[in-house]
Amino acid sequence: MKKWSGFRWFEFAEGVLLVLLGIFTLARPASALTGFIVAYGAVAVIMGVADILLYVRIAHFTGFGPIVSLLSGTLSVMAGVMLLVYPNAGKLILSVLIPLWFLAHCISRLSNLNKIRFFAGEFPYYFTLILNVLGLVLGGLMILNPWISLLSVPLIIGIYLLLLGVDCLILAFSKLGTRY
């Protein structure tokens, strides 16, 4: 059996954490806004580190994609650290941070779609494409109307975290980490 690369293990761990966090958010929506700001901050840091690791792994490719991974990863880490250090401030600006996080992560994944198609195959490519276009739409809606974000954050985030987790698990079990 071929040994998994570090990228695949990290993607697998990220996927499992996102699925668990999504399930927990859907199971306890009332406490999601108050008790889990720190957990969302940790996930944002992990996702940001994953984007930065993706940049490091594909830095030898040229183009727009790797730089976007680095920038969105840095923004995700910064947003996550802010949520970890100031959870009360996170509660107040959650309606802005979560949409920005959605947008940054979706742009990062969309900018690397050609590599996902080449290394992982057709199914992960189309799943990632559809999921991240949906994330862009949700992020845009939440920025345009903060009340949507504020009132439906637990439901939107829970479902989206589940989908992001499944996306990470699909990429972890694909050939994406084997050809670098």
Side-chain angles (χ1 to χ4, degrees), residues 120-173:
E122 294 293 318
F123 178 73
Y125 167 81
Y126 286 114
F127 187 81
T128 302
L129 173 68
I130 292 168
L131 176 66
N132 288 292
V133 168
L134 176 65
L136 286 175
V137 170
L138 286 175
L141 283 174
M142 289 189 292
I143 283 180
L144 292 175
N145 190 349
W147 286 107
I148 290 174
S149 179
L150 207 55
L151 296 175
S152 61
V153 161
L155 179 64
I156 291 172
I157 291 174
I159 291 170
Y160 195 69
L161 287 174
L162 281 172
L163 291 172
L164 277 177
V166 170
D167 183 43
C168 289
L169 291 172
I170 287 171
L171 291 176
F173 287 103

Side-chain angles (χ1 to χ4, degrees), residues 12-150:
F12 178 76
E14 179 184 2
V16 169
L17 286 173
L18 287 170
V19 166
L20 291 174
L21 189 58
I23 290 170
F24 197 74
T25 301
L26 290 172
R28 305 185 102 185
S31 62
L33 288 175
T34 56
F36 301 104
I37 297 292
V38 173
Y40 292 131
V43 169
V45 169
I46 290 169
M47 289 175 68
V49 169
D51 284 342
I52 292 169
L53 286 176
L54 182 64
Y55 167 76
V56 170
R57 286 282 203 179
I58 61 173
H60 61 276
F61 292 110
T62 58
F64 181 67
I67 298 300
V68 172
S69 288
L70 179 63
L71 292 175
S72 69
T74 303
L75 286 174
S76 289
V77 169
M78 289 170 46
V81 168
M82 197 282 307
L83 288 173
L84 290 171
V85 174
Y86 301 110
N88 287 334
K91 291 176 191 175
L92 297 175
I93 59 172
L94 188 63
S95 62
V96 175
L97 279 181
I98 295 299
L100 290 177
W101 175 33
F102 273 29
L103 293 173
H105 187 72
C106 291
I107 290 169
S108 172
R109 290 291 176 143
L110 288 171
S111 69
N112 291 299
L113 271 179
N114 58 345
K115 290 154 194 75
I116 290 172
R117 180 181 234 167
F118 180 74
F119 290 114
E122 294 293 318
F123 178 73
Y125 167 81
Y126 286 114
F127 187 81
T128 302
L129 173 68
I130 292 168
L131 176 66
N132 288 292
V133 168
L134 176 65
L136 286 175
V137 170
L138 286 175
L141 283 174
M142 289 189 292
I143 283 180
L144 292 175
N145 190 349
W147 286 107
I148 290 174
S149 179
L150 207 55

